[in-house]
Amino acid sequence: MPAALPPAPDPPPAPTPRQVLRTLRHVRPGPPLRWAFALRAALAMGIPVAAGVWTGHPSAGLMATLGAFTALYGGGRPYASRAIALALVACAFAAAVMFGLWLEGRPWLVVPALAAVAMLATWLCNAVRLGPPGAYMFVLACAAGTALPVGDLSHAQAGLLVLAGGAVAWGLHTAGALVQLRGPERRAVAAAGRAVAACIQAGPGHPGARRAAAQALLDSWQMLVGFQPIPARRGGELERLRAVNRDLHLVFASAIDPSATPADRDALLERARALTAEAGKPAIARPRGLAQDELPHGYPRAWALLREALAPGSNALRVVLRVGLATMLAGALAASFELGRAYWAIAAALLMLHQGFDWPRTVQRSAERTLGTWAGLLLAGAILWWRPEGAWLVLVVMALQFVIEMIVVRHYALAVVFITGVALTIASGGHRVDDVAGLLLARGVDTLLGCACALAAFRLLPPRADDRTLGDGIAHALFAVRDTCGVLAAGNVSSPAARTVRRDLQRRVFELEQRLDDALAGSRAQRDAAERLWPAVAVCLRLAYRVLAACWEVERNGTATAPDATPLQPGDMPRVAATLEALARAWREFGPPPPPTPLPPLLREDVDDLRRILGGGLD
């Protein structure tokens, strides 16, 4: 049996205000091929504007750009899944704008309606993992509809214009399927391979690298299985990538074994690098495909995730409630101050909160948004004063959008400068703005107000991250370990039911790690709780990964039909299940630990450590 993993390192220090401000100067590396994504987004914005200019209706073209924001979504999905998702996004944009136009004649309803839309969009986008920019653009489209200069257009005609812009973005964003149909899947598997290689180099005692590799592998399985609406062709490229990804997962299982020698780790590193290179080569000899019951699962079905996001007391639900509180507060204050286009304050508040960042990152994002917006007002003022027309208008919108997409992942504050410019250009609808200074001042004040309301809402509804939350997370993980031990003892770790159990244990691991992150980034009391429970969390994670690695080892050796070859036997399970259940309940209630019980070597050391930590007191 492998020796115990090295002790966890000390928890990271709490971020200081100076560190948060220092990040404003930090420029992150950009992802590969970002220029292609930026070019698609620029074309998606430019084509509707060009069509409007060509037909003599530039305002209609600018309105259609609200649907063109469809190009910002789905960039990491396979093309078939992307086509479905983007079609739904485009329709949602059209519906949001039409709803906003309907609200225009009902000013008393605008703020509560936009707050409700913000909560609904946050819940849906976060639960189904739609990805950035998430709920923000949908609420912005709805809010913009309350002030769009539509002229003689009906609500349906305006919706069709937005849908046409979405159709342009859909075509541009799916055209890559004609060149490299499995390109997104290859990139996902290659990213998982690089994460596994980094985990091997960091060593088994590095929780950050281990977590990143586990997350990358889960994301790649979601790409290869969960995001595949069309069954894989026998012997095709998708089957090849699934086999490569499975080999990567086996390498990862061996990489987190602390008993591996340096020579073993060198061999694993070479294997991980070879598999990473293999993932990007379409024209190679294809290994055997995997049977359907050999495929690990990605994330649960969307309906299950949506239900989980509404679980009472969950942090996902608190994010939704926080968004509702902040947007209602920002909208009400903006309206009471008689600020023009109060929806800007609502949008700013939503943008700070919808992704569920912790407190330091929320403060950082608020500072970036405020500073970037006020600097961007100078750029926006110059554009509004110039009032470009014709081809110049098309070029300005395209250039701004291209620059935004190139730098938003590298330096958010700088990107906001250009976001402000393109937003006010679109909001003007191609018409002359009589009071440019007043418009710019209102935009700056609205941003300050929205960010302030977001920070206040965060303080009023912070994430749950106290002793009880962490103890409950440990209990959930132990119950999942119990279930996984059951399939391991039965010797059948590859059935669909067994893979679901293994996936659920991995999700409990991620959930526990996230709870610890929330506590470390929280208040002084929350951080104290995290530091007290840090050793227990580290041991629980060590136990979970040990059991998951044992499942992969059984799968690697082909012992699914030989229970006597597994590290757990069916006769062990009554004692194992009773011990893990009692220990989980003790951690949930912070009660006395259960008495020592003889356990198989796979579990003995970690279970004993969890008992000792709980029995030793946590004060």
Side-chain angles (χ1 to χ4, degrees):
M1 186 60 220
L5 293 175
D10 292 335
T16 64
R18 179 176 295 180
Q19 289 172 327
V20 171
L21 293 176
R22 191 181 300 132
T23 59
L24 297 177
R25 303 195 303 266
H26 178 62
V27 179
R28 296 174 292 274
L33 298 177
R34 185 65 184 183
W35 65 268
F37 181 90
L39 182 60
R40 284 198 303 268
L43 287 172
M45 297 289 285
I47 290 174
V49 179
V53 169
W54 181 61
T55 59
H57 298 88
S59 60
L62 289 170
M63 186 185 303
T65 59
L66 292 175
F69 285 120
T70 300
L72 304 183
Y73 294 89
R77 288 184 176 233
Y79 283 110
S81 174
R82 184 184 304 186
I84 296 171
L86 293 186
L88 295 174
V89 167
C91 291
F93 276 134
V97 170
M98 293 171 65
F99 182 58
L101 291 172
W102 178 81
L103 287 173
E104 186 179 11
R106 299 163 178 81
W108 57 272
L109 190 57
V110 168
V111 171
L114 289 180
V117 171
M119 295 173 69
L120 178 64
T122 300
W123 170 54
L124 291 172
C125 292
N126 289 352
V128 302
R129 301 176 63 88
L130 185 61
Y136 174 67
M137 295 308 306
F138 298 100
V139 176
L140 186 64
C142 181
T146 64
L148 277 177
V150 295
D152 296 330
L153 292 177
S154 67
H155 294 179
Q157 289 171 324
L160 287 174
L161 278 175
V162 175
L163 193 61
V168 171
W170 184 93
L172 290 169
H173 223 24
T174 56
L178 303 176
V179 179
Q180 196 178 78
L181 179 61
R182 296 299 180 187
E185 290 93 330
R186 290 180 201 158
R187 289 190 288 274
V189 176
R194 290 190 293 271
V196 170
C199 177
I200 296 171
Q201 290 177 305
H206 194 291
R210 183 184 63 191
R211 178 180 181 179
Q215 185 69 65
L217 285 165
L218 181 61
D219 289 341
S220 60
W221 280 122
Q222 179 68 11
M223 287 282 288
L224 298 173
V225 181
F227 284 157
Q228 296 296 332
I230 301 173
R233 179 172 58 85
R234 188 65 180 169
E237 180 74 359
L238 182 56
E239 282 204 344
R240 177 185 75 84
L241 290 170
R242 287 173 173 176
V244 172
N245 210 53
R246 182 175 181 272
D247 288 347
L248 276 173
H249 220 136
L250 293 171
V251 170
F252 173 66
S254 299
I256 60 177
D257 179 358
S259 66
T261 65
D264 293 334
R265 303 191 67 78
D266 289 342
L268 289 171
L269 181 59
E270 289 302 315
R271 179 61 175 158
R273 288 172 173 170
L275 290 169
T276 302
E278 186 178 335
K281 298 178 182 177
I284 63 172
R286 303 179 185 218
R288 67 174 183 85
L290 299 178
Q292 193 64 31
D293 63 356
E294 292 183 286
L295 296 176
H297 300 320
Y299 295 96
R301 299 283 184 180
W303 286 116
L305 294 174
L306 289 170
R307 287 195 304 271
E308 287 183 9
L310 293 180
S314 69
N315 278 332
L317 180 58
R318 292 175 80 86
V319 170
V320 174
L321 296 176
R322 199 180 299 143
V323 163
L325 174 62
T327 51
M328 278 290 293
L329 182 61
L333 289 176
S336 64
F337 295 156
E338 297 183 354
L339 297 176
R341 303 191 183 188
Y343 71 81
W344 282 337
I346 294 174
L350 169 68
L351 185 59
M352 299 304 102
L353 299 173
H354 74 100
Q355 290 178 281
F357 288 153
D358 55 35
W359 174 249
R361 286 190 293 171
T362 302
V363 172
Q364 175 187 338
R365 181 56 59 94
S366 297
E368 290 172 334
R369 187 72 186 188
T370 301
L371 295 175
T373 296
W374 279 86
L377 293 176
L378 299 176
L379 173 62
I383 295 173
L384 293 176
W385 173 80
W386 174 27
R387 196 190 163 202
E389 298 178 344
W392 283 112
L393 178 61
V394 177
L395 290 174
V396 165
V397 171
M398 289 183 63
L400 289 174
Q401 192 63 40
F402 181 83
V403 173
I404 289 167
E405 298 308 324
M406 285 298 295
I407 64 177
V408 70
V409 294
R410 305 189 66 192
H411 195 286
Y412 182 72
L414 182 58
V416 172
V417 174
F418 300 94
I419 290 171
T420 304
V422 76
L424 288 176
T425 301
I426 293 173
S428 70
H431 302 291
R432 181 178 299 277
V433 177
D434 295 328
D435 185 10
V436 173
L439 176 66
L440 298 180
L441 179 61
R443 179 61 188 264
V445 173
D446 280 335
T447 299
L448 276 173
L449 183 61
C451 291
C453 289
L455 295 176
F458 194 105
R459 280 309 194 191
L460 291 171
L461 277 175
R464 293 184 59 202
D466 54 11
D467 293 52
R468 292 291 176 183
T469 304
L470 290 172
D472 192 60
I474 292 173
H476 280 307
L478 289 174
F479 282 125
V481 168
R482 175 204 60 188
D483 296 339
T484 308
C485 286
V487 301
L488 184 60
N492 185 5
V493 297
S494 302
S495 68
R499 291 196 182 279
T500 299
V501 169
R502 292 163 63 182
R503 178 201 63 195
D504 290 344
L505 174 55
Q506 183 70 79
R507 293 185 65 230
R508 291 302 184 187
V509 165
F510 291 149
E511 179 185 287
L512 179 56
E513 291 175 319
Q514 184 59 53
R515 292 186 186 204
L516 183 66
D517 289 346
D518 290 338
L520 288 171
S523 64
R524 181 69 257 178
Q526 290 173 334
R527 183 170 177 82
D528 289 343
E531 291 176 347
R532 285 195 303 272
L533 292 175
W534 173 271
V537 171
V539 172
C540 187
L541 295 176
R542 187 174 69 191
L543 172 63
Y545 277 110
R546 194 192 296 277
V547 172
L548 287 169
C551 291
W552 280 103
E553 189 65 24
V554 169
E555 188 172 334
R556 179 211 302 275
N557 295 332
T559 56
T561 58
D564 59 340
T566 67
L568 292 177
Q569 303 300 314
D572 297 328
M573 276 313 297
R575 186 170 63 256
V576 167
T579 300
L580 290 174
E581 288 172 9
L583 187 59
R585 285 193 295 269
W587 271 106
R588 177 170 286 166
E589 301 166 3
F590 287 103
T597 306
L599 292 174
L602 177 68
L603 310 173
R604 182 186 306 144
E605 184 173 358
D606 294 328
V607 170
D608 286 346
D609 284 346
L610 285 171
R611 286 183 58 262
R612 280 194 294 269
I613 293 171
L614 184 59
L618 298 169
D619 295 331

